[in-house]
Structure formats: C-alpha cells, structure tokens
Amino acid sequence: MADPGAPPQPAGAGDAGRRPPGQAALQALTAAALLLPGLMPTDARAEPDDGIALQASHYRERLRPVEGAPTSFRPLTADSLTGRTTIALPRGDALLLSITQDTWSGATPITSAPASANGNRPIQAGAAGQLITVGASPMINGRLLLDAAGRPVTIDPARGTAVAAPAVVDTLSSASPETRQQLDGKYTRRLDGGALTLGGGVSLERDYRSRFVNLGRRFDFSEQLSTLTLGLSHTRSRIAAALDHDAAPYITKTAYARQIENVHGQQVLHGQRRDWAGSVALTQVLGPSALLQAQAGHTHSAGDLANPYKVMSVVFAPGLAEGAAGSGAAADVLTGDLRALLEQRPRVRRQWTVGGKLILHHGPSDGALHLGYGHFRDDWGIAAHRVEAEWFQPLPGGWQLSPRLRYYTQRAARFHADYLVSRQAYRQVSLGQEGQPVITAFDPALLPAHFSSDRRLAAFGNLGAGLGLTRSLGRGFALDLGVDVSRQSGALKAGGGGIGRHADFSAMTAHAALRIDLDGESGAGAPAGADRPHAAHGGAHHAHGAFAVPPGVSFAHAAGAPGSVMVGVRQVLSREGGAMRRGAARVDDAELMAQACAPAPCAARAHTMAMRMQMLELMWSVNDRLALMLMPQHMVMDMDTRLLPGAPPSDTHVHFGRHEAAGLGDTQVQASYTLLDAADRRWLLGLGLGVPTGDTSLRHRRTHQQEPAAMGYSMQTGSGTWDWMPSVTWLGQRGAWSWGGQLAATLRGGRNDDGYALGDRWQAQGWVARRLSPQLAATLRAAHAVEGAVQGERSGAPTGQTPADRPANLGGRFTELGLGLTLDGLTGPHLGTTLGVELTLPVRSHVNGYQLTRRGSLALSWSQHF
C-alpha cells in the first residue's frame, strides 16, 4: 500500500515548443510518460543513456497534541538522500546503479488507549513546591475505570456519578534517529521491439535486512506508440528487532516467546518474511495530444508481517457481564487493568492494485495535464482509492511549473481497533492443593486472533497539495525543486466512519534534485564529452604524470576553465572501538568508573562507535584562478554502550545498548585561489566558512518519566558555531611521480546556543603518488592533527553518565597513515571523471581525557567535471 503522505515526483512535458506542432505534442507526451517514476519501473527509457541524478528530501510532521500534558516530543522527521547513475554500455545496453539513505527520528505512536488511562504522564521539573509540567512520558500499562458495559468513565467528584470518557489518545514514544541504506542496480539489454531488464539490491537497517531481485520485459508495438511492460520481483527479509530495554518488561510478548532471544542482556525478536510481486503496464498514445497509461499488480506476502515496535492496549476486566448496560452510579464502576500486548497480524497478505493515468497536451500553452486514479485492495479488509491531478507548464528561460492536488481514502483492516476490552483477568493468583500460590495468566484464545492499533491500518482520508519547479541549467543540467503539504484525518475518509481525531496529523515534504544528462552536453555528431571543460580533481590535467591527490584530502580543488562546473560526492567511514585510553595508555573499567566522569562516577562506557559522512561537492570556476565551492553534508553516528560492572545506583536512567544519531551536518562554503599554476607545481590558497546547519541538541528518548539526556558531544551532527577554515596546499610532479602537502585549520567562532564550542583543529599532511598507468595512481599520505577539547559545557539538558558526555574527553593529538588509489585521466564518455579510495590507519594517538581507541577510516570519492 502506498504511503499516503508520499508526494508525487515531478515530471515534465518536455521542450516541445521548438518542433512541429504534431510531432512536438507526441514527443512531449511520450517524454512526460516515460519520466513518471514508479509507473513503469522496468522501462529502461525512463533513465537517460548516460546520466547522474542526486536528490535530497525532507519530511516533517507537525507537532502532535498530547492529552493531559503539554507536548514536549519532537515531531517525526525523515531525511532521504539518493544518488543514481546510468552508464551507457555497448550495443545500446545500460547499467543503472542507485544508493539511498533514509534517516528518521522523533515521536511516533506505539499504541492508542482511552485518554482516561493517562498514557502520556506529565513530567514535572523544578524545586519542591515550585514544580511545573514540562512534558509527557509514555506509560503503556495502568488502570482505568469502566462502566458495566466496558466503556471508559471517570467519576464526577461533585456528584459522585460516573461520567462517560470516550476520548482516545495516541501513546507517543520518542525514538533516537535510525538509518536505512539501500543499494540496488539494474541491467537493461536492448532487444528488437523492446528491452529486458534484470535488477537486484539490498536494504539494510539495524534491525531489518532485505534482499530483492526483479525481472522486467518491455514490448514496443506500432512504432512505439504502444508499450507493454511486464515485471516480476521477489524480496526476502530478515528481522532482528531489539526491543526497547526500558519498555520490554512492561510489554506482554506471549505470542512471540519462541522468537525472542536474549543477546547481551537485550531481548531481540527474530523473524522473516517473503514478498512476491507481479505487474503489467500498458502505455498507449491516443493521438497527437493524448496518452493513456494503465497498470495492474499483485503482491503476495508471507511470514512475520507485524510491526515488532507496535503494541495493542488491552483492558482486562473480569467483572464485566455480557450485555450489561450499567446505571451510571459510582457503585456500578469497575476497575480495568490496562496492559500492552505486541500486536498480532495475519502471516499472509494478498494485495491487488489497479491504476491509470491520462495525459493531455494543451497546444496553446504547451502544457500537459496529468489525471490519475489508483485502487488498492487486500485480504485484510483494506480498500483504498487515490485520485490526483497535476499540471506541467513550461515557462520562458527553461523553467517549468507543476502544481498538483491529491486525495487518498481507505477503509480499515478488519482487525484494527483503538484498543480492546477483554472480560477476563490479566493474571490471577489462587492457592493450590497444598496451599502454594498458583499464578494463572490470561487465556489468549479469548482475544481476537489478530489485532493492531497501527493508524496506517485505520480508516482515514488524506488530502494533499504541492508545487514543483524545474529549471534547465543548460549543458545537460536540470534542477528540480518541490514542496508538498498534506492533512490526514478520519474526517476526510470518503463516506465517513474514519478513525478519531487523536490520529489526525499534518505533514510537509520538500525535495531538491540535480539531474545531469551526460548525453545532452555535446552537439549532434560530436564525440561524447567533446565540449567539456578541461579539469580534474585537485585541478590536475588528464595526462600522464599529472598531480594525483589522495581521496582523503579536502580543500585541494583548483579552478578549471572559466564557467566550468564540478559535481562530486565524498563518503568517509571511520570506526572506534576496543580499549579505552587515557593519553596513549589503556585503562580498565575501574579507573573509568572512578575518574572519567568526575566528580560523579561513570555508569556506562562506549564499546564501539562508527561514523559515516556523506558530502556533496559543488564547484564553479569564476575564472581560471578562483573557484567557489558549496559542500553540504549528512552525518550518521552509531554508538554501542554497555553498563560498567559495579557502578553505583543512579538517580537518573542510564541509557545503554545501541544508539544512532543522524541528520544534516554543517555546510561548508569555500573559495579556492590558485597562487601559482605551472606544469610541474601548483600552490592553492583556500578559505572556508562552516555554516552551522547541523544539530547540537540531539537527545536520547524520554523514558521513566525523566527529562531525556543529551547525546554525547561526538554524537551531535553539527558544531553550532560559525567556523573559519583556512588552508594552503602545494602540489608538485615529475615524470610518473607527484607529491603534495597541506596546512589546514578549523577555528571555532565562539560558543553555540547550547553553551559550548568544539575545540579548534590544526592539521599538517603530506603525500607522494606514483602513476601505475596513465589512468591509475597509488598514493601514500601521512597526516598529523591536533584537536582541542570542548570549551564550556552543555546547558539546558541533562547529561549522560559516560566518558563521551564530558567535555574534557574529546580531542588530542593524532598521527595517521593513508594508502589510496586514484582513477582519473579517462577518455571518451567518461572524460572528467575521477574516482578514489583511501584506507587510513592510526599510527600514534594521544587523547585528551578518556576516549575509545581509533581504528581507522575509509574515504571514497567521485567527481565529474563539466
């Protein structure tokens, strides 16, 4: 079932105005249809023969109100980054490679329950006698009052009578950031009258791993005026859900007892599922101004289909009588025992989809109207309808505007409910024949076989609107921008009968994409890449004996030809783990507990930490000496923390286990000036500015009715300060050898809004490279860095009880050695492409305070000059 909050992707009618009217309309309609993602996933014509696409999107829900307490949860947010490249192969074949990374965090409903159960308990802070309510903490078990018919009530203290309390509320839980990465590829073989595609990939999360394969066949008829596309896919997924160690003791997991394993003190629920899917799509050109698309599909899913992080609220009330009405008197009121059970869904699901889209070209405006309809149905009882309309209007100057409207409505699954009431006790204690206590648990057979309160299975409607803007930048470049807003509510369901107001929410999605069509750069008849500017990584020329710069070196790009552009992606993966150190010496847990968090003792320590940084590099050469660069980055950190044996009891909750933090990092803006440019040497002067677009206030989830503690300084995605980054770089070469060096610094601009500043960083490095071939060079790099400790201390949030939470335990002196390979000097369609990989290992470290041992890093880079 499609996510009703997902915005439609932009597509265009093409630049048809420069061709004859009939041909223009036909080509515009065909281009628009083939650019619609998702409708014809096996159609190789939806991608350029040789191109690159980079896309970023951000999803945010509005803050959810909480019954009985002020909202202090962060709203749910999700960030998605996608990189895709299509490589032209001989004989007209093509290879598509794609990588996607999704990161989400914030408050999500784990269940719904009667509001009278007070599931979101107020959190109070302040001195005695001056307490104020600052937020809410989720409580999934408790007690509430029921009338004789099992309906929630409260007691009117003035009259002493029962008052109906029908309100339902979502019980929210705030999760730390989580990340998903997907890698996939697709090979397309051109055939007479169509194409054959074979693809596959893997999707990786901390607790969910999927592998999938797909096969597609396209048939073209009537000179491609009719196209039939068939698709098959198979997905196999494995689940290893680490149940929240704070909430797990309060959740009843009887139905999954055989699937739960204790791993290092944490309960892990294992499962697996398989999905088989088939689809058929037909595209038919109806005339010079109309095109029709139709599709149908079927998906069969089997295995563990429940969400291991969703629970169902069940009110156990053994005193309820079947069919009782109740008098409303306080004497008729019963006490119900509210418990949380892991949801149970059927192990098989069959889904059917049908849909269509009509595209109409409007000659006078050269615009195109897209009208779409889709229907979804499954054997769980859900039936959904979707209608959408979008207008694509080309504008002067290479612009295109596309407003859109979308409406979605669905019927609920048969087993969906806000909560359940069971006429039995959750647990009974009786005496055995010999007087011993006998505990009898509830009878699962008296509950429904399947139940879930997940709002995605409820009855609701969703109304959305959006606006897209596309700009053709010339030389094969195009920029897509878009924003969509939506409102989901039970009141919007067609025909009424939707879920209650507690599940209402609004959301916004914004996206930006840069598309590069490498085939669109050269004029007709020109060889591929013939008109590209002559530039390379680090300003090197594509020739034997050129400068070779290791991938781990930043700020070494020189200006190319005036007006030339470079697009690059850099990824750095680093790891820490093993022993904790003070200075250069190892320390044991006893010293850590006593000294690393002074004056208080430490309660836990990091066991491993991994960091992934993805940076997009955009460079524009103002002239042959000055280049300007914009470098946004995305950060993902993963830390595994364990409790220290023998640590004294703490008044605050200690977070341990695996924690993730992810999000937009600081953005770098840099100017690079070429002081000297000769055949055998080059000097570069750089000045960068770090813009504080990252986050410095990430926290652990709220639990045990306590204000959540801030994550450690190294787990924040940004610095929170405006930083200066000067650098000087020199390069030299002779024959097959080249060398270089760099001095660089990061100077913090005062303290951030949270009251601290990361330490300044100074680095000196040098390298030597040897050409193994005209296109391949091996590099050896040595680097020494000095990093200061954190200045000041975090304010406004509780701090944790690990060494990483103390400002003195960051920074130090680090010496590293890097080994790398650089591929450049390519010709033909890949002229201007540079690929690099470098493995960096620590040689000597002297840390400030107490820190994990650094294990090394891996840098990967790709850039393309135009």
Side-chain angles (χ1 to χ4, degrees):
M1 178 178 60
D3 180 3
Q9 298 293 321
D15 184 12
R18 301 189 183 98
R19 294 180 291 274
Q23 181 186 5
L26 181 59
Q27 293 187 8
L29 289 166
T30 305
L34 298 179
L35 286 174
L36 287 173
L39 285 176
M40 301 176 65
T42 60
D43 191 343
R45 295 177 302 172
E47 302 289 343
D49 288 337
D50 203 4
I52 302 164
L54 303 171
Q55 178 169 315
S57 65
H58 176 75
Y59 170 86
R60 175 178 292 270
E61 294 183 0
R62 290 191 62 184
L63 207 60
R64 295 173 179 269
V66 176
E67 182 88 11
T71 300
S72 58
F73 293 103
R74 283 193 170 194
L76 179 66
T77 62
D79 295 294
S80 181
L81 301 173
T82 300
R84 181 183 297 111
T85 180
T86 305
I87 304 172
L89 301 175
R91 301 176 54 184
D93 297 348
L95 178 65
L96 172 66
L97 300 175
S98 177
I99 178 171
T100 298
Q101 177 173 284
D102 301 322
T103 303
W104 59 93
S105 64
T108 56
I110 57 174
T111 187
S112 56
S116 60
N118 198 20
N120 297 293
R121 304 287 172 86
I123 297 176
Q124 294 185 322
Q130 297 179 341
L131 294 178
I132 60 172
T133 302
V134 296
S137 181
M139 299 291 288
I140 51 179
N141 293 337
R143 294 186 177 276
L144 72 160
L145 301 178
L146 305 173
D147 64 12
R151 296 169 300 202
V153 296
T154 60
I155 299 298
D156 184 343
R159 300 181 180 180
T161 57
V163 179
V168 176
V169 65
D170 280 337
T171 302
L172 302 180
S173 177
S174 185
S176 302
E178 298 183 26
T179 301
R180 180 187 75 95
Q181 288 188 321
Q182 178 173 312
L183 305 171
D184 59 86
K186 182 177 68 175
Y187 171 73
T188 299
R189 179 66 183 270
R190 306 285 182 174
L191 303 174
D192 291 339
L196 177 69
T197 62
L198 176 64
V202 58
S203 176
L204 304 175
E205 299 177 51
R206 181 175 61 183
D207 53 3
Y208 197 94
R209 295 174 178 264
S210 297
R211 292 173 173 82
F212 53 91
V213 294
N214 50 69
L215 177 68
R217 180 69 166 94
R218 193 190 78 233
F219 300 91
D220 298 328
F221 307 100
S222 305
E223 298 181 351
Q224 296 189 349
L225 296 181
S226 301
T227 299
L228 177 66
T229 305
L230 306 176
L232 295 172
S233 69
H234 175 249
T235 302
R236 183 173 183 177
S237 305
R238 294 190 178 275
I239 305 164
L243 303 181
D244 187 341
H245 54 77
D246 298 325
Y250 307 100
I251 298 176
T252 302
K253 305 172 284 293
T254 308
Y256 299 91
R258 295 184 179 181
Q259 297 176 241
I260 295 177
E261 177 188 13
N262 193 299
V263 180
H264 304 301
Q266 190 166 36
Q267 295 183 16
V268 178
L269 193 156
H270 296 280
Q272 59 181 348
R273 62 179 288 176
R274 293 194 175 192
D275 300 86
W276 295 264
S279 64
V280 56
L282 176 66
T283 299
Q284 177 65 54
V285 177
L286 303 179
S289 299
L291 183 145
L292 179 66
Q293 294 177 323
Q295 63 172 357
H298 173 67
T299 301
H300 178 93
S301 304
D304 296 288
L305 307 182
N307 186 329
Y309 302 116
K310 299 289 186 181
V311 300
M312 169 62 84
S313 296
V314 181
V315 182
F316 291 91
L320 289 178
E322 192 76 34
S327 64
D332 292 334
V333 172
L334 305 174
T335 299
D337 187 5
L338 179 66
R339 297 286 176 165
L341 278 63
L342 283 180
E343 70 165 25
Q344 297 173 217
R345 304 186 188 184
R347 293 184 58 83
V348 175
R349 187 182 191 184
R350 300 176 182 86
Q351 306 168 68
W352 297 269
T353 59
V354 294
K357 183 178 288 287
L358 177 63
I359 304 176
L360 303 172
H361 179 258
H362 183 249
S365 65
D366 196 25
L369 176 64
H370 293 207
L371 300 173
Y373 169 78
H375 175 66
F376 169 89
R377 182 179 294 271
D378 68 6
D379 59 354
W380 287 4
I382 296 176
H385 301 269
R386 170 186 52 82
V387 291
E388 58 188 8
E390 189 166 11
W391 175 264
F392 295 91
Q393 181 58 59
L395 301 174
W399 294 91
Q400 180 176 262
L401 195 65
S402 53
R404 48 185 171 263
L405 293 172
R406 186 172 185 264
Y407 174 69
Y408 176 94
T409 181
Q410 80 170 38
R411 186 177 65 197
R414 286 186 295 270
F415 53 86
H416 177 271
D418 290 330
Y419 60 92
L420 300 176
V421 177
S422 181
R423 292 178 170 85
Q424 61 175 320
Y426 175 73
R427 183 184 290 116
Q428 288 183 327
V429 180
S430 59
L431 295 179
Q433 296 180 352
E434 300 180 359
Q436 77 279 12
V438 177
I439 300 177
T440 304
F442 69 93
D443 184 1
L446 299 180
L447 296 175
H450 308 113
F451 46 81
S452 174
S453 61
D454 192 333
R455 68 175 186 218
R456 291 169 293 187
L457 303 179
F460 62 85
N462 185 288
L463 182 62
L467 182 66
L469 186 64
T470 302
R471 174 70 161 88
S472 177
L473 305 177
R475 294 167 59 182
F477 283 75
L479 180 66
D480 292 335
L481 302 173
V483 62
D484 290 83
V485 294
S486 64
R487 174 68 177 173
Q488 184 166 305
S489 172
L492 292 175
K493 177 185 177 294
I499 193 171
R501 294 179 55 188
H502 65 280
D504 293 358
F505 73 96
S506 300
M508 181 274 295
T509 304
H511 80 268
L514 178 66
R515 293 183 288 107
I516 307 169
D517 184 358
L518 301 181
D519 292 330
E521 294 182 341
S522 303
D531 62 347
R532 298 185 192 176
H534 189 68
H537 178 74
H541 300 293
H542 290 308
H544 178 72
F547 306 116
V549 180
V553 177
S554 300
F555 312 126
H557 293 285
S564 62
V565 175
M566 184 208 74
V567 178
V569 176
R570 183 188 304 269
Q571 176 161 286
V572 178
L573 304 94
S574 63
R575 293 189 62 84
E576 301 176 9
M580 295 287 291
R581 295 181 179 272
R582 181 183 184 184
R586 296 189 177 191
V587 296
D588 58 20
D589 287 350
E591 180 178 346
L592 278 179
M593 186 168 56
Q595 301 294 333
C597 301
C602 287
R605 55 152 288 191
H607 182 62
T608 61
M609 180 176 176
M611 184 276 290
R612 298 194 302 272
M613 182 275 289
Q614 294 93 16
M615 175 183 286
L616 174 63
E617 299 177 331
L618 303 173
M619 186 180 79
W620 173 57
S621 296
V622 180
N623 52 47
D624 58 2
R625 288 190 177 272
L626 179 62
L628 302 178
M629 294 191 68
L630 177 67
M631 293 168 286
Q633 55 185 331
H634 187 270
M635 309 293 297
V636 179
M637 279 78 68
D638 187 307
M639 180 179 286
D640 187 5
T641 304
R642 65 175 178 83
L643 295 173
L644 287 172
S650 172
D651 294 335
T652 60
H653 178 70
V654 179
H655 291 273
F656 67 94
R658 291 189 62 182
H659 305 288
E660 281 187 328
L664 185 66
D666 287 351
T667 299
Q668 299 178 13
V669 180
Q670 187 203 9
S672 176
Y673 187 78
T674 304
L675 296 173
L676 174 65
D677 188 8
D680 59 349
R681 60 190 182 278
R682 175 175 292 134
W683 285 79
L684 304 174
L685 182 64
L687 181 60
L689 178 66
V691 182
T693 53
D695 202 335
T696 60
S697 57
L698 292 174
R699 299 190 183 191
H700 294 285
R701 66 191 180 282
R702 172 174 282 111
T703 185
H704 290 74
Q705 292 189 277
Q706 296 179 358
E707 187 70 9
M711 288 189 169
Y713 296 97
S714 59
M715 293 288 286
Q716 305 296 327
T717 64
S719 66
T721 56
W722 293 80
D723 305 326
W724 293 103
M725 294 175 288
S727 65
V728 57
T729 306
W730 59 97
L731 305 167
Q733 69 89 19
R734 177 174 296 176
W737 291 89
S738 62
W739 54 87
Q742 184 183 81
L743 296 175
T746 301
L747 308 176
R748 308 296 177 183
R751 298 186 180 184
N752 57 33
D753 293 340
D754 292 288
Y756 71 91
L758 299 178
D760 293 342
R761 186 176 191 273
W762 300 83
Q763 184 182 56
Q765 57 184 328
W767 60 88
V768 62
R770 176 69 162 83
R771 285 281 170 184
L772 306 179
S773 73
Q775 293 81 30
L776 184 65
T779 62
L780 175 65
R781 179 174 64 95
H784 180 75
V786 179
E787 302 176 10
V790 172
Q791 302 299 308
E793 192 168 2
R794 182 188 304 279
S795 60
T799 56
Q801 296 174 277
T802 72
D805 297 310
R806 298 299 182 265
N809 297 329
L810 273 82
R813 303 188 300 274
F814 308 97
T815 303
E816 300 173 327
L817 189 67
L819 301 172
L821 292 173
T822 299
L823 180 67
D824 58 10
L826 303 177
T827 59
H830 303 295
L831 178 66
T833 299
T834 300
L835 296 171
V837 58
E838 184 184 45
L839 175 65
T840 303
L841 299 173
V843 176
R844 179 176 173 79
S845 299
H846 190 284
V847 302
N848 296 332
Y850 295 85
Q851 299 181 41
L852 273 175
T853 301
R854 296 195 175 191
R855 294 301 188 188
S857 62
L858 180 68
L860 306 170
S861 66
W862 164 86
S863 63
Q864 178 68 56
H865 289 75
F866 301 91

